[in-house]
Amino acid sequence: MEMVATQEASGILLIRIDEEHLDAGNVKAFKEAIAPLLERSDRIVFDMSQLKFVDSSGLGALIACLRQTHKGKGDFKLCEMPRPVCALFELMRMHRVFSIHDTREDALRAFA
C-alpha cells in the first residue's frame, strides 16, 4: 500500500493514499500501513484525492482511524474527496461522522 505522509510545520500529519481503491482487496494492507502513522500525530488530514472507489471495508477502516485518533484526544479530517466517493459518504451518512473539507488548505485551517 503506497502512502505519502508529510508532517506540516503546524504539527499536522498529512497522509495521501496513492491507490485508486480502498476496498476489501487492500484494506488489510491499508491498516498495516496507516497504524504507525496514526501513532505519529494526534492531528491528521487524510487526502483522498487519488481514491476513486471506497467500499464498506474501506469505510470501516477509515472509521477505525477516526476512533483511534479520537481515543488519543486527537482529530482526523478528510479532504479532496472525489465526487463518487463523496456520494458514498453522503449515502451512508458518513458526512455526519467525519469532518470533510473540499481542499487540503481548508482541512489544515480547520485545526486552527
Side-chain angles (χ1 to χ4, degrees), residues 1-4 16-21 47 50-51:
M1 172 72 50
E2 289 291 321
M3 285 192 214
V4 177
R16 186 186 76 232
I17 184 172
D18 283 342
E19 301 281 339
E20 290 189 356
H21 296 102
D47 180 339
Q50 302 301 309
L51 287 172

Side-chain angles (χ1 to χ4, degrees), residues 7-109:
Q7 192 81 34
E8 297 290 313
S10 58
I12 298 167
L13 184 63
L14 178 63
I15 301 171
R16 186 186 76 232
I17 184 172
D18 283 342
E19 301 281 339
E20 290 189 356
H21 296 102
L22 182 56
D23 56 23
N26 64 3
V27 75
K28 182 178 178 189
F30 170 78
K31 288 179 180 180
E32 290 170 357
I34 202 156
L37 297 175
L38 294 176
E39 293 174 7
R40 282 180 37 189
S41 180
D42 61 350
R43 298 184 308 159
I44 297 167
V45 171
F46 192 77
D47 180 339
M48 301 184 71
S49 60
Q50 302 301 309
L51 287 172
K52 298 197 180 348
F53 177 77
V54 177
D55 73 359
S56 59
S57 298
L59 194 56
L62 291 171
I63 291 170
C65 292
L66 179 69
R67 285 185 179 150
Q68 183 176 344
T69 306
H70 284 176
K71 189 171 144 183
K73 306 294 187 228
D75 202 2
F76 184 85
K77 300 182 185 308
L78 305 176
C79 71
E80 304 279 343
M81 192 178 291
R83 188 70 203 137
V85 176
C86 189
L88 169 74
F89 273 68
E90 290 172 0
L91 178 69
M92 302 300 292
R93 300 191 188 271
M94 290 293 107
H95 63 291
R96 295 180 181 181
V97 174
F98 287 96
S99 176
I100 301 173
H101 302 271
D102 290 334
T103 67
R104 180 183 303 173
E105 293 76 23
D106 289 345
L108 292 169
R109 269 195 302 272

